[in-house]
Amino acid sequence: MALAEAGARGRLLRWPRVLLFGDSITEYSFQENGWGAYLAERLVRKCDVVNRGISGYNTRWAKLVLPRLITESTSADSIVAVTIFFGANDSALKELNPKQHVPLEEYAANLKGMVQYLKSVDVTADRIILITPPPLQESAWEKACLAKGDKLNRCNATTGQYAQACVQVARECGTDVLDLWTLMQKNQDFSSYLSDGLHLSAKGNSFLAAQLWSRLENKLSALPSLLPYWRDVDHTNPEASLL
């Protein structure tokens, strides 16, 4: 059978999608042992996990980008889950990092605006998960800053205020939330979760993956595997199984 004919006979295969939207902690999540890679492995043959992490970005920039990633006419109906994971850059100290800093009230408004936009294109609240920034290990991040000729430009207490704002937005908007800042500090020495005081270590990636999967598993468990298991394909008439 010609490929064009097979395509005409068969229904278009559309993989559902999980969209990971965030800053560098999301962008790096497909690295070896990353939390995004973990999700992609768990969801193979069920849906695509799409990495839209953009290193260095804050919510002021992200809210402008989001409508270019998801529109009602092209893609919203295939979205089964979206993570919105910003705050590590927004919470940078204004006097030391004015380019990335976003004031706390604007950060909350930007998150709320992104959730409202998703709802407007029919991505319902139950498919949205907000993730707070992780805690900041100041001494390790200060070393990373000094190595670049900069001063310590973030502090954990300030990051915590942004995390609390993220939790509040989720409560007001009816979405799920993963309060990484609080959960990681239940273990008093949280430094092992971070590679440089800000970004996640292998242990931090594993921790986030497990926490996120516990929230996604129920949402996505009913998704069928796409295409039949190879032993179930009728080898004498594969068209009957695959088209």
Side-chain angles (χ1 to χ4, degrees):
M1 178 184 294
L3 290 179
E5 183 183 349
R9 284 187 55 189
R11 290 173 293 123
L12 179 66
L13 277 171
R14 296 188 64 192
W15 258 244
R17 295 185 301 149
V18 174
L19 181 73
L20 310 181
F21 187 42
D23 53 35
S24 57
I25 303 176
T26 297
E27 182 175 325
Y28 301 161
S29 73
F30 272 27
Q31 294 179 350
E32 185 176 5
N33 298 318
W35 61 273
Y38 172 90
L39 293 178
E41 182 180 5
R42 295 297 295 263
L43 293 168
V44 164
R45 296 273 302 278
K46 288 180 176 287
C47 59
D48 287 335
V49 179
V50 181
N51 186 335
R52 292 295 179 264
I54 315 169
S55 179
Y57 273 48
N58 55 32
T59 56
R60 183 180 293 164
W61 305 340
K63 72 175 184 179
L64 301 176
V65 174
L66 183 60
R68 301 177 66 193
L69 300 179
I70 301 176
T71 63
E72 185 173 21
S73 62
T74 60
S75 58
D77 62 334
S78 68
I79 297 288
V80 291
V82 180
T83 60
I84 300 178
F85 188 4
F86 289 94
N89 297 317
D90 299 70
S91 60
L93 302 175
K94 181 180 181 181
E95 61 274 16
L96 293 172
N97 190 348
K99 184 165 186 174
Q100 291 179 300
H101 169 79
V102 172
L104 183 61
E105 289 185 4
E106 183 189 343
Y107 167 74
N110 291 341
L111 283 180
K112 187 175 295 186
M114 285 190 277
V115 171
Q116 290 171 342
Y117 171 75
L118 289 172
K119 289 180 178 180
S120 77
V121 294
D122 295 329
V123 178
T124 51
D126 62 308
R127 288 182 275 166
I128 302 169
I129 302 176
L130 301 187
I131 307 176
T132 76
L136 182 82
Q137 215 288 317
E138 292 175 16
S139 60
W141 184 241
E142 184 173 27
K143 289 180 182 178
C145 291
L146 291 173
K148 300 175 184 176
D150 299 326
K151 296 179 180 179
L152 177 65
N153 55 22
R154 290 163 170 80
C155 74
N156 191 40
T158 301
T159 302
Q161 294 174 353
Y162 284 71
Q164 291 169 11
C166 180
V167 171
Q168 181 61 31
V169 168
R171 186 177 297 123
E172 292 173 2
C173 293
T175 71
D176 203 348
V177 64
L178 175 49
D179 185 0
L180 207 56
W181 190 85
T182 298
L183 289 169
M184 282 187 165
Q185 290 185 97
K186 285 186 176 179
N187 175 357
Q188 192 169 10
D189 180 17
F190 61 87
S191 60
S192 62
Y193 290 128
L194 304 168
S195 62
D196 57 4
L198 176 69
H199 301 96
L200 301 181
S201 64
K203 182 178 178 181
N205 272 282
S206 178
F207 180 86
L208 173 52
Q211 293 288 334
L212 192 52
W213 182 247
S214 71
R215 289 160 170 78
L216 285 173
E217 188 173 15
N218 287 339
K219 299 177 191 293
L220 305 181
S221 59
L223 288 175
S225 288
L226 294 161
L227 295 173
Y229 180 55
W230 72 271
R231 291 187 184 277
D232 297 329
V233 174
D234 181 355
H235 69 284
T236 63
N237 182 20
E239 291 87 350
S241 302
L242 303 177
L243 297 180

